Amino acid sequence: MHTKIEIETARLIPVDPESQQILETLKQEDIYHQIDSPYTLVNIFLVSTLGGVSRLASAIHEQASAKRNIILSLDSHLEVDTFLGIDSYLCFQESANPCEQLGQFLYMYRNTVEIHGLISFDFNDFMNLVKGRNQISMVSYPYEQKIDEAVQLLQEHKLQDDSNYLLYFTLKHYEPKQLEAVLKPIQVYLESFPADTNYYLDFNEAPEQLVALMKITPEFTIQSIVPDTV
């Protein structure tokens, strides 16, 4: 994923040097947030170490206020206390590459929240998906001609009861008369979701065609997220 991602409404706040280094790495890949943006809606505190956890309280106190606040642990083994004013506590899947996953997380945020898609998904929907304590994981697959190519790869990943999902895809050209045929593989895939699953769908026009899935699993129902095996 080589698309430039400039976040306008989320303020990324590293609370330890390890988190700062991950942001620096992403910046080299053209993934970054606007400094002092007047449109900030959410503070995202990034923590990677026990030292960072110990500095969270002061970082939250010192940071400029925002409509919502998220703590995102870049190490799934860290235990983070509950803080007043924090709406969401997130961590990535164990053994996941935190830099890669954070880049995909910011891609999903940018393209579903900040860039209005062709379905009505917005900031409030996003916060509703991630509120509370959750483990999150992202996968994305590009495709050349038919979206089926990417959907088939998504089907290799196990869907879990009691999880929430955000499914996002792009088309080079949006043609309403052909949309029903394009959406058919997506609809078939959505029909495979467990009955208790909540999901959102969004799509847009973009030069790079892909299908991306974000899985949000409440902390008490976390299971290993691996492709299904035959």
Side-chain angles (χ1 to χ4, degrees):
M1 189 181 304
H2 301 289
T3 305
K4 175 181 176 180
I5 302 172
E6 183 178 9
I7 304 296
E8 297 180 1
T9 63
R11 183 185 293 121
L12 306 176
I13 306 155
V15 299
D16 48 31
E18 290 79 2
S19 299
Q20 179 63 48
Q21 182 57 52
I22 288 175
L23 287 186
E24 292 297 330
T25 300
L26 289 177
K27 190 174 181 179
Q28 293 175 9
E29 300 174 6
D30 276 341
I31 303 173
Y32 56 93
H33 73 285
Q34 288 186 4
I35 305 297
D36 298 325
S37 170
Y39 307 110
T40 299
L41 294 174
V42 59
N43 288 325
I44 302 179
F45 298 90
L46 305 173
V47 58
S48 300
T49 63
L50 287 173
V53 170
S54 68
R55 288 192 287 273
L56 271 171
S58 59
I60 294 168
H61 177 73
E62 295 166 3
Q63 189 55 55
S65 63
K67 184 177 180 181
R68 293 287 184 266
N69 294 281
I70 293 173
I71 293 177
L72 176 51
S73 173
L74 303 179
D75 182 338
S76 62
H77 296 97
L78 293 177
E79 294 185 6
V80 178
D81 290 335
T82 299
F83 294 94
L84 184 65
I86 300 297
D87 303 280
S88 174
Y89 301 81
L90 304 177
C91 69
F92 294 128
Q93 175 185 345
E94 185 176 356
S95 77
N97 182 317
C99 188
E100 179 182 304
Q101 287 286 284
L102 181 58
Q104 291 197 36
F105 176 80
L106 295 175
Y107 173 88
M108 291 288 276
Y109 181 87
R110 171 65 178 166
N111 286 281
T112 61
V113 174
E114 296 189 345
I115 299 175
H116 295 295
L118 297 170
I119 296 179
S120 181
F121 182 88
D122 60 19
F123 177 76
N124 291 328
D125 293 324
F126 178 84
M127 289 305 304
N128 186 54
L129 269 176
V130 302
K131 67 183 178 182
R133 289 183 178 268
N134 300 280
Q135 183 187 81
I136 57 175
S137 64
M138 274 74 54
V139 291
S140 64
Y141 297 104
Y143 68 95
E144 293 294 331
Q145 300 296 328
K146 294 185 177 181
I147 200 169
D148 311 53
E149 305 165 15
V151 173
Q152 288 175 2
L153 293 173
L154 275 185
Q155 291 172 337
E156 297 177 5
H157 293 270
K158 185 178 181 179
L159 297 170
Q160 184 176 328
D161 289 334
D162 301 324
S163 290
N164 297 316
Y165 293 88
L166 172 57
L167 181 62
Y168 173 74
F169 65 93
T170 59
L171 308 168
K172 280 186 179 177
H173 304 290
Y174 168 56
E175 299 180 12
K177 292 182 179 180
Q178 299 179 6
L179 185 60
E180 183 176 351
V182 172
L183 281 179
K184 188 172 182 180
I186 296 289
Q187 292 171 336
V188 171
Y189 176 60
L190 291 175
E191 289 172 1
S192 70
F193 279 39
D196 294 335
T197 294
N198 296 314
Y199 67 83
Y200 286 89
L201 175 67
D202 199 12
F203 71 98
N204 217 333
E205 288 185 315
E208 181 183 23
Q209 297 191 130
L210 60 77
V211 179
L213 181 71
M214 181 165 73
K215 179 179 180 179
I216 306 98
T217 306
E219 194 174 58
F220 58 87
T221 60
I222 289 174
Q223 300 174 7
S224 177
I225 305 172
V226 296
D228 286 332
T229 56
V230 178

